[in-house]
Amino acid sequence: MSRLAPVTVVIPAWQAGEFLAATLDSLRAQTTPPEAVVVVDDGSTDATAHIAIEGGATLLRQDHRGPGAARNRGVAHANSEFVAFLDADDWYAPDKLERSVEVLQEIGAACLATDAWVVRGGRIDARKNQGRNVPTVLTTERLLKGSPVICSSVVARRRAVLEVGGFDEHPDLIATEDFDLWLRMSEREPLAYLGEPLTFYRVHQGSLSANERFLRGVDRILARVAQHHVGEAHFQNLIRRRRADVRLDYAWDLITTGRKAEGRALIREAQRLAPTWKGVRMRLRSMLPA
């Protein structure tokens, strides 16, 4: 029998019947399979629970509370040295766990993220961080400039996750709860980053309501970070720029779907926070006919 990686893979799953079997198959195909796989069924009404059991995972069930709560439940159940976070529609390259644990043990880091292949409509598109200069050490400062971390790429020491309180389960943080956790962990110790794409990450069609929730979540997270860095001009400037960038991204989606007045209002907010030429160009383009 092959040796096992000292890892519990935690999979939050809600209505995950379409993809979960392939996700679990990728874990059985690991060069060093995980010590345990925990699927937390977050109130599904489809075949999620049945597929999890058939795939050999430990199944935990809870009422629908969101991915942060599901991941916390899985971490609490784990007994291994490391936990890995894998969404139910993503999957691993065969050497994902072997390489991640090898690097973590070699450098003694608390948390490691890797690059990931982006999958759109069943087709591998590109690497998540292709063309970006991502350092091997991710500080709080670097994460505030824009996070290169995909949650499904992360393997961390279970102790380190628990010491910062795990994922924040507040409803406003659904879709941003992982960014919040990486920031809190980085305030104790920078995250390590490996530029190898060892995870396959599915990107689905977004929605304006999801973008609004993302903005609300980022604002909540950055308010906490700002309080932590009161009086530090450099961090306050980074926070303002990040808040502005998120508003510009949402504004562009509003403009391209015909909601130009709302988009321009967000551009004005962004420009008050951190004026940029990008904001000026977006406002001018919003004035053009459709």
Side-chain angles (χ1 to χ4, degrees), residues 40-186:
V40 183
D41 184 353
D42 191 39
S44 301
T45 58
D46 66 356
T48 292
H50 174 74
I51 293 167
I53 293 168
E54 287 290 304
T58 297
L59 175 68
L60 304 178
R61 282 177 159 154
Q62 64 182 31
D63 293 337
H64 186 47
R65 293 167 52 203
R71 293 188 190 108
N72 284 342
R73 179 92 182 275
V75 171
H77 181 85
N79 292 309
S80 53
E81 181 181 1
F82 300 100
V83 288
F85 302 112
L86 180 61
D87 287 352
D89 54 351
D90 300 337
W91 73 97
Y92 285 160
D95 59 343
K96 160 65 181 175
L97 293 178
E98 181 176 13
R99 287 287 294 128
S100 296
V101 172
E102 180 183 78
V103 172
L104 280 164
Q105 290 178 331
E106 180 182 331
I107 64 178
C111 182
L112 173 74
T114 74
D115 205 352
W117 292 109
V118 176
V119 180
R120 299 178 192 273
R123 186 171 67 93
I124 297 173
D125 210 10
R127 288 187 291 109
K128 156 70 175 172
N129 294 314
Q130 191 166 312
R132 299 180 184 178
N133 183 22
V134 182
T136 57
V137 174
L138 300 177
T139 61
T140 302
E141 179 180 13
R142 177 60 183 82
L143 291 171
L144 287 172
K145 291 177 180 178
S147 175
V149 179
I150 293 293
C151 189
S152 288
S153 80
V154 169
V155 180
R157 295 184 190 274
R158 179 174 177 269
R159 166 191 50 76
V161 174
L162 292 173
E163 283 176 352
V164 297
F167 292 90
D168 189 328
E169 300 179 16
H170 193 283
D172 280 354
L173 266 63
I174 290 176
T176 52
E177 72 283 332
D178 56 329
F179 177 50
D180 173 69
L181 179 59
W182 316 144
L183 282 170
R184 284 186 282 117
M185 292 183 75
S186 73

Side-chain angles (χ1 to χ4, degrees), residues 175-285:
T176 52
E177 72 283 332
D178 56 329
F179 177 50
D180 173 69
L181 179 59
W182 316 144
L183 282 170
R184 284 186 282 117
M185 292 183 75
S186 73
E187 286 166 0
R188 289 190 170 212
E189 177 187 326
L191 281 61
Y193 177 79
L194 181 65
E196 299 175 21
L198 299 176
T199 294
F200 294 82
Y201 163 66
R202 291 187 197 271
V203 175
H204 303 285
Q205 181 80 28
S207 68
L208 290 178
S209 61
N211 292 344
E212 182 181 5
R213 184 175 62 193
F214 183 83
L215 186 154
R216 191 165 60 242
V218 169
D219 273 354
R220 183 182 178 91
I221 292 163
L222 294 181
R224 180 195 61 78
V225 179
Q227 197 169 32
H228 189 74
H229 292 280
V230 170
E232 298 179 55
H234 176 61
F235 277 96
Q236 298 299 330
N237 285 333
L238 287 175
I239 290 163
R240 281 193 292 271
R241 288 175 193 166
R242 183 67 180 135
R243 292 183 66 208
D245 285 344
V246 173
R247 279 161 172 74
L248 291 179
D249 289 343
Y250 183 28
W252 184 246
D253 288 338
L254 288 168
I255 289 164
T256 55
T257 52
R259 294 165 61 176
K260 292 187 176 183
E262 294 170 80
R264 284 194 288 270
L266 274 178
I267 292 170
R268 287 194 293 272
E269 280 186 38
Q271 293 296 82
R272 284 195 294 269
L273 286 164
T276 62
W277 283 112
K278 178 182 176 181
V280 172
R281 290 193 299 268
M282 282 180 59
R283 179 167 176 77
L284 289 174
R285 291 187 69 175

